[in-house]
């Protein structure tokens, strides 16, 4: 009897360790679905049309859009080579806010929550909003993991502020037209966490490759301009400006 009970307890514990959590947030008609197995295996389907999906596989993060796979580390490296820091941009976009906690309790998608009133200022305008937060340990852990994957998609590294966690241990489950739609512990097929075999990895050019391409394009542009001026001189400065703008636009399109 003791052995049977110990076995059942062990199996239950192992099952918990291997649990998959499926979290869904709805904003208007769009649903963001997050599947979490472990720190090295997660997936975020961004939007109801599944237009972009983020995968966490091992230590790597990938974005899949259509038939293209982008390595987030390579994307971040390219952005940083041009002096762009995604983490700083995210931090700058977060307004300072104050929290007024109320005694009101509600449930959102079956999860117990507390009503807080958030006051903040953005772009010179003050606003106040009622939000619902929860300190449910499982939901908090899942939301933190989802935010890490979401900020990774934007090229930011781990440690960037969590826009969902208003206070340590309390995450938003309802705010405006965004709210938690469902939270479940359920089995998820291993294939869900694998990159689609039909998609191909996209090469992210280095800053040197981009500069070389720009230089080649500029040389080509100058030669074409010299030929055009010889064969079709333009006297009207306004028309000349329009021609230059059109050519510059086509040049930019050719960069990638």
């Amino acid at each position: 009897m003791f052995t049977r009970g110990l076995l059942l307890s062990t199996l239950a514990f192992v099952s918990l360790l291997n649990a998959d959590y499926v979290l869904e947030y709805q904003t208007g008609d769009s649903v963001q679905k997050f599947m979490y197995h472990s720190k090295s295996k997660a997936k975020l389907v961004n939007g109801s049309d599944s237009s972009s999906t983020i995968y966490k596989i091992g230590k790597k993060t990938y974005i899949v859009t259509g038939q293209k796979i982008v390595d987030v580390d390579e994307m971040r490296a390219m952005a940083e080579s041009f002096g762009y820091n995604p983490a700083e941009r995210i931090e700058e976009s977060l307004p300072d806010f104050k929290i007024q906690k109320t005694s009101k309790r509600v449930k959102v998608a079956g999860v117990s929550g507390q009503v807080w009133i958030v006051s903040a200022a953005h772009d010179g305008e003050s606003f106040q909003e009622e939000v619902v937060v929860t300190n449910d340990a499982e939901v908090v852990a899942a939301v933190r993991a989802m935010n890490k994957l979401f900020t990774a998609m934007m090229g930011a590294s781990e440690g960037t502020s969590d826009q969902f966690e208003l206070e340590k241990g309390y995450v938003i489950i309802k705010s405006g037209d965004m709210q938690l739609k469902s939270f479940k512990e359920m089995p998820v097929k291993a294939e869900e966490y694998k990159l689609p075999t039909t998609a191909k990895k996209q090469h992210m050019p280095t800053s040197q490759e981009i500069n070389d391409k720009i230089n080649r394009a500029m040389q080509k542009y100058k030669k074409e301009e010299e030929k055009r001026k010889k064969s079709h001189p333009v006297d009207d400065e306004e028309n000349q400006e329009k021609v230059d703008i059109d050519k510059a636009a086509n040049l930019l399109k050719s960069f990638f």
Side-chain angles (χ1 to χ4, degrees):
M1 188 72 176
F2 175 76
T3 304
R4 182 174 179 274
L6 180 61
L7 177 61
L8 289 174
S9 298
T10 303
L11 289 173
F13 181 67
V14 171
S15 175
L16 180 63
L17 288 178
N18 293 317
D20 291 87
Y21 292 104
V22 179
L23 185 78
E24 290 185 317
Y25 272 90
Q26 182 164 0
T27 305
D29 296 328
S30 180
V31 176
Q32 185 171 285
K33 184 176 182 180
F34 178 63
M35 288 168 271
Y36 179 80
H37 180 78
S38 65
K39 290 182 178 180
S40 59
K41 191 185 293 185
K43 178 180 180 180
L44 176 61
V45 182
N46 194 33
S48 300
D49 58 353
S50 304
S51 56
S52 66
T53 304
I54 317 168
Y55 292 81
K56 180 68 174 179
I57 302 175
K59 294 183 179 180
K60 301 289 289 182
T61 303
Y62 302 93
I63 302 172
V64 177
T65 305
Q67 300 302 308
K68 296 180 179 179
I69 300 173
V70 173
D71 184 316
V72 170
D73 289 337
E74 293 180 2
M75 181 179 71
R76 185 187 300 118
M78 185 184 74
E80 290 177 350
S81 70
F82 286 96
Y84 176 77
N85 188 330
E88 287 182 359
R89 294 297 178 91
I90 293 173
E91 296 290 345
E92 289 171 0
S93 67
L94 297 176
D96 293 327
F97 58 85
K98 293 181 179 180
I99 297 172
Q100 178 187 342
K101 300 178 182 180
T102 75
S103 58
K104 188 176 179 181
R105 300 289 186 270
V106 296
K107 280 195 173 184
V108 178
V111 177
S112 298
Q114 304 174 26
V115 177
W116 290 0
I117 298 173
V118 177
S119 302
H122 185 63
D123 289 337
E125 294 186 8
S126 299
F127 66 90
Q128 194 175 75
E129 185 176 3
E130 188 176 275
V131 301
V132 182
V133 299
T134 186
N135 62 347
D136 181 290
E138 292 181 338
V139 177
V140 171
V143 171
R144 284 174 175 170
M146 180 182 70
N147 185 71
K148 284 182 180 179
L149 203 51
F150 185 71
T151 52
M153 179 186 71
M154 295 186 287
S157 57
E158 291 190 10
T160 304
S161 294
D162 190 336
Q163 300 181 58
F164 279 87
E165 192 165 1
L166 285 184
E167 191 175 281
K168 189 174 182 180
Y170 289 85
V171 296
I172 298 173
I173 54 176
K174 185 175 181 181
S175 175
D177 66 345
M178 180 200 76
Q179 69 174 35
L180 182 68
K181 183 182 178 184
S182 67
F183 177 74
K184 301 175 183 177
E185 179 184 347
M186 58 184 287
V188 175
K189 293 181 180 179
E191 289 73 20
E192 284 284 357
Y193 300 110
K194 296 178 181 178
L195 292 172
T197 56
T198 54
K200 294 183 178 180
K201 186 178 177 182
Q202 184 178 13
H203 171 67
M204 298 301 291
T206 63
S207 57
Q208 185 60 53
E209 288 174 331
I210 293 175
N211 286 331
D212 290 344
K213 191 166 186 178
I214 291 175
N215 289 332
R216 288 196 299 270
M218 287 301 295
Q219 291 299 322
K220 182 179 179 182
Y221 173 72
K222 288 178 181 179
K223 289 180 181 178
E224 289 178 351
E225 278 298 283
E226 290 174 0
K227 288 182 181 179
R228 184 191 60 76
K229 288 178 181 178
K230 290 180 180 178
S231 57
H232 301 287
V234 179
D235 297 326
D236 189 338
E237 291 184 1
E238 186 176 328
N239 288 339
Q240 176 65 61
E241 184 179 354
K242 184 178 183 303
V243 170
D244 289 342
I245 291 173
D246 290 342
K247 284 187 173 292
N250 290 330
L251 178 62
L252 287 172
K253 290 177 183 178
S254 72
F255 287 168
F256 299 96

